Amino acid sequence: MAHHSDPDSIESQLQTVQMRLSEALQSAVISRLINERGDAEVDGTLNAAIQARGGFWYATLVAHQTTLFISISALLDKGRDVASLYSILAAIETEIPDRISEEFRGTLRPLRQELDAIGNKYNKLRHKLFGHTDLERGKFMAQFDAAGFTHLSIAKDLEQLEYVFKVLFAVGSGHEHVPQRGEILHYPYSMHVAAVQRDTDALLNDLVSASVNP
């Protein structure tokens, strides 16, 4: 494996992509918790507190959803001189083919098509919503809904991207174990995502407490 300081090395790309994946997962969990816990039917007190400062919470959701989509697009970037899931997959296939076991080869084979399927969905909105200021950009949330994006669909896409990363990480790091879909494996970014989830839950709990005991 190339030296860590080489920006084109597989190790360096894995670290960069891991940070992007972490950003996507953190933004997704923040958006999901605010939407789910802030639903009026789930917690009327929290919903009222959020509505009382609706401008802030709307801006917070837009910011995290923007970060989420930009991060996913970066993970799926096919451009030159970038670090993405595609670039790592290509580097593994060209630079260390002799280190790929037959079991890993079978696991790697369908990954590119799976990435393409996810990328095609997000590319439709990438330029319209984030690449420039479209005249219809004010319908931000409506366009997400119209395109079929839900918290559940995004969570499934992120689960797939996370699985691809874990496979590439295992191969690029020289591990013998082939990650399985749904298998719980802990990586450095997992701790950051878990911490953000705890902090978001705690913040929402504090908001409820402040409303009940002003």
Side-chain angles (χ1 to χ4, degrees), residues 21 141 210:
L21 177 61
M141 298 300 295

Coordinates of all heavy atoms in Angstrom, one line a residue, residues 21 141 210:
L21 N -18.7 10.0 4.3 CA -19.7 9.1 4.7 C -20.2 9.5 6.1 O -21.5 9.5 6.4 CB -19.2 7.7 4.7 CG -20.2 6.6 5.2 CD1 -21.4 6.5 4.3 CD2 -19.5 5.2 5.2
M141 N -38.4 21.5 -0.4 CA -38.9 20.3 0.2 C -39.8 19.6 -0.7 O -39.8 18.3 -0.8 CB -39.6 20.7 1.5 CG -38.7 21.3 2.6 SD -37.3 20.3 3.1 CE -38.2 18.9 3.8
A210 N -37.6 22.3 28.9 CA -37.7 23.8 29.0 C -39.1 24.2 28.8 O -39.6 25.2 29.3 CB -36.8 24.4 28.1

